[in-house]
């Protein structure tokens, strides 16, 4: 999806935060959406511009704090990630996410996606 299509869908959730540069420019959004009929599971998501790579250290340092906050909302969090997105797959592993299975034909384009999750410790 293009950002113009995807962003209105993302911002409908109850829990949304932004990564903001010192200049005030937003470089990313992330959040957690509830799963209806499952009070324990939350779908985590993130969209960003390439500028997020300018904040790698901060992202690695601050992610554990944000994961604790997300886990207060839902004890089990997860989603799917494009198997080609190796940079973010490494980051998810480093942050304690487990990879559960690979869906060989996922989504509109029928590409391989990994399902990942993290349980509150």
């Amino acid at each position: 999806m293009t950002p113009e299509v995807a962003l209105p869908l993302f911002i409908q959730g109850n829990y949304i935060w932004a990564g903001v540069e010192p200049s005030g420019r937003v470089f990313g959004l992330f959040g957690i959406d509830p799963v209806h009929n499952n009070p324990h599971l939350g779908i985590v998501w993130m969209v960003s511009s390439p500028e997020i790579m300018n904040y790698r250290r901060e992202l690695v340092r601050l992610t554990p704090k944000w994961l604790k906050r997300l886990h207060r909302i839902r004890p089990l969090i997860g989603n799917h990630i494009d198997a080609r997105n190796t940079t973010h797959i490494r980051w998810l592993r480093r942050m304690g996410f487990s990879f559960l299975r690979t869906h060989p034909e996922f989504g509109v384009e029928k590409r391989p996606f990994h399902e990942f999750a993290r349980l509150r410790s």
Side-chain angles (χ1 to χ4, degrees):
M1 287 188 266
T2 65
E4 294 82 8
V5 173
L7 286 176
L9 298 174
F10 291 135
I11 62 173
Q12 292 176 13
N14 295 327
Y15 301 99
I16 302 161
W17 296 273
V20 182
E21 293 181 308
S23 68
R25 184 171 178 223
V26 173
F27 62 84
L29 297 171
F30 69 99
I32 183 168
D33 290 327
V35 175
H36 299 291
N37 300 322
N38 189 335
H40 305 291
L41 177 61
I43 303 299
V44 292
W45 56 268
M46 175 185 257
V47 292
S48 68
S49 69
E51 282 76 24
I52 196 170
M53 297 310 281
N54 297 332
Y55 301 96
R56 286 179 288 210
R57 279 193 176 144
E58 292 88 347
L59 190 63
V60 169
R61 182 175 54 82
L62 293 172
T63 297
K65 169 188 150 191
W66 281 101
L67 287 173
K68 277 185 169 182
R69 189 170 185 174
L70 296 175
H71 277 304
R72 283 196 299 262
I73 299 166
R74 297 281 194 241
L76 177 62
I77 57 177
N79 204 337
H80 295 83
I81 187 168
D82 189 321
R84 298 171 296 170
N85 193 344
T86 57
T87 299
H88 293 107
I89 290 168
R90 280 193 311 272
W91 174 67
L92 287 167
R93 280 199 173 104
R94 184 173 179 179
M95 295 301 126
F97 283 87
S98 297
F99 286 78
L100 308 173
R101 61 185 163 177
T102 299
H103 301 273
E105 294 183 353
F106 189 84
V108 175
E109 295 182 354
K110 303 293 185 205
R111 294 189 183 273
F113 271 67
H114 301 305
E115 185 176 354
F116 64 91
R118 187 174 191 272
L119 184 60
R120 178 174 58 208
S121 56

